[in-house]
Amino acid sequence: MNLFRNLKITHQFLIVFGILIIGFAAVGMIYKQVLDIDQEGTSLLEQTHAFDTLVNSAARDVSAMNAAEIGFKLTGDLQYVENFEALNGKVQQKVYNLGRQAPDEKAQSLVVQMQQGVDAYTSNFNELVDLSEMLGLSQDKGLHGEMRA
């Protein structure tokens, strides 16, 4: 500290000013890093939100497919089959988009499982429709109609 006191006041002022400038520069660099980290976190949050929204939308459409299936089972009305097929197209597109947006391998694996589940569900529903049409959707059609004739 004696060395600092032995310097002229102008030199002391320059040293203090230099330390102050270095301090401000360090604070500025740290602040920029914080902003970069915050921006990256915001970007990841937005991606996660978009992925979550798409998952929820696909889940709602699968629930609507289930409602169409139940409607068909209860009434035998082919309008429910058309609704099911339209919803299936939406779900297939959403699952494809989920696969493209999956943030990591685990999410990608879950999307593949979801695709397999939707494919199996669609296949089983189509078999149900085919068998129902073969049996007869009304008393006058299919095997029911032949038995009554």
Side-chain angles (χ1 to χ4, degrees):
M1 198 65 175
N2 271 341
L3 181 64
F4 186 73
R5 287 185 185 177
N6 292 339
L7 295 174
K8 291 181 181 180
I9 190 77
T10 55
H11 290 119
Q12 289 177 356
F13 178 72
L14 288 175
I15 290 173
V16 169
F17 185 70
I19 292 172
L20 190 63
I21 294 295
I22 291 171
F24 278 131
V27 168
M29 289 175 18
I30 291 170
Y31 182 69
K32 176 159 178 8
Q33 288 178 340
V34 167
L35 287 179
D36 290 345
I37 291 169
D38 185 51
Q39 186 176 11
E40 183 179 337
T42 301
S43 175
L44 289 173
L45 182 63
E46 288 171 355
Q47 290 174 358
T48 302
H49 177 69
F51 190 78
D52 183 53
T53 300
L54 196 53
V55 167
N56 289 334
S57 178
R60 281 191 304 274
D61 287 346
V62 169
S63 293
M65 287 170 65
N66 190 334
E69 175 191 14
I70 292 170
F72 175 75
K73 286 178 180 177
L74 292 174
T75 65
D77 187 353
L78 292 176
Q79 180 65 36
Y80 289 107
V81 176
E82 292 174 16
N83 291 345
F84 183 93
E85 290 171 354
L87 289 164
N88 183 44
K90 287 182 180 180
V91 169
Q92 294 292 345
Q93 183 62 42
K94 289 175 183 175
V95 170
Y96 172 76
N97 290 339
L98 282 171
R100 291 180 49 223
Q101 293 179 12
D104 56 21
E105 291 296 320
K106 183 177 180 182
Q108 186 67 39
S109 172
L110 292 172
V111 170
V112 168
Q113 290 177 13
M114 184 178 184
Q115 180 66 54
Q116 292 170 345
V118 169
D119 289 345
Y121 182 45
T122 302
S123 176
N124 290 339
F125 179 75
N126 289 333
E127 287 180 30
L128 171 71
V129 171
D130 291 343
L131 291 173
S132 296
E133 287 178 335
M134 187 172 53
L135 285 174
L137 295 175
S138 68
Q139 296 177 357
D140 302 342
K141 295 182 181 174
L143 294 175
H144 289 149
E146 289 179 20
M147 288 174 40
R148 293 190 187 283

